[in-house]
Amino acid sequence: MYYIGRFAVKLLMSLIFRISVQGANHIPEQGALLICSRHISNWDPLLIGISMKRPVSFMAKEELFRFKPLGMLIKSVHGFPIHRGGNDRAAIKTALHILSLGGALVLFPEGTRNRTGKGLNPLQRGAALLASRSQAAILPVAIIGPYRLFGKVRIVFGEPFVVMPEAAKAAELSIAEFAEARIASAMYDVLEEATRDSAHS
């Protein structure tokens, strides 16, 4: 079912946008993977999913599931609901379970869409929490829009890394604090690279 849904989404995306993918060689082929991306559109998780060979799961705001056809499509590509504005323990439990099975999970550490399309909003602690509890590899991603009909959208994958408890201890930080700092730094780095390359293309 996943690959059928993925094919449908990929076909739709290719008709609407001109998609460019950079750094796909950085994507680990297996093992627990936390994909941390800038968030500029509701299209983001679907676009990341079709840019990777391995299956991915992602959280989507609960409101999107209220329209049943859209909810069915999101579920078919491994999307699951999260209730915003609070600590959704069920969503966190689902996310940790996916990672414990060696799955790949797309997460948007900004917590909500970056409506300016510039830089990064302050990161929420969800990604750091999942990273510290799962020991998953972290893959930073930058998406460069804007999303518009037949417009070019670039997905740039940075180099993956693992948050090591020894490094957190050496920095005199908790592993969650260290994970938050490393994720923010990696996301800024890949975004700067993507923005610089877009300016020269």
Side-chain angles (χ1 to χ4, degrees), residues 11-201:
L11 179 61
L12 176 63
M13 294 291 98
S14 65
L15 292 174
I16 298 175
F17 308 116
R18 294 183 296 124
I19 302 168
S20 171
V21 179
Q22 181 180 333
N25 57 301
H26 293 152
I27 303 171
E29 295 181 358
Q30 58 185 6
L33 184 65
L34 190 57
I35 303 155
C36 294
S37 174
R38 184 167 81 133
H39 193 19
I40 60 174
S41 167
N42 287 331
W43 293 113
D44 293 344
L46 298 177
L47 203 62
I48 292 172
I50 65 172
S51 301
M52 301 177 61
K53 292 181 180 180
R54 63 183 291 184
V56 302
S57 300
F58 62 93
M59 299 180 186
K61 59 185 180 181
E62 185 271 337
E63 296 90 329
L64 295 177
F65 291 84
R66 296 176 186 173
F67 180 55
K68 289 189 176 180
L70 178 59
M72 291 176 62
L73 177 62
I74 294 173
K75 288 181 179 179
S76 74
V77 289
H78 295 181
F80 60 96
I82 181 170
H83 298 273
R84 298 185 299 172
N87 185 14
D88 190 338
R89 294 184 178 181
I92 294 172
K93 185 177 180 180
T94 298
L96 287 171
H97 179 66
I98 290 167
L99 295 172
S100 73
L101 296 176
L105 176 69
V106 177
L107 199 67
F108 301 100
E110 291 171 290
T112 187
R113 278 185 293 164
N114 184 327
R115 297 184 183 278
T116 68
K118 298 179 181 179
L120 286 174
N121 291 330
L123 304 191
Q124 305 298 311
R125 294 193 171 184
L129 173 68
L130 292 175
S132 62
R133 290 188 180 182
S134 68
Q135 292 296 294
I138 298 166
L139 183 69
V141 182
I143 299 177
I144 304 294
Y147 286 92
R148 60 171 176 257
L149 188 62
F150 308 131
K152 185 175 182 179
V153 182
R154 297 180 64 237
I155 306 98
V156 181
F157 294 97
E159 295 188 14
F161 62 93
V162 177
V163 174
M164 303 300 293
E166 297 83 2
K169 185 176 181 180
E172 298 183 347
L173 295 171
S174 72
I175 189 166
E177 290 172 332
F178 185 72
E180 184 176 356
R182 284 286 286 117
I183 291 170
S185 176
M187 290 182 67
Y188 274 113
D189 287 347
V190 73
L191 178 58
E192 285 187 0
E193 176 188 348
T195 302
R196 183 173 59 250
D197 290 348
S198 290
H200 295 157
S201 62

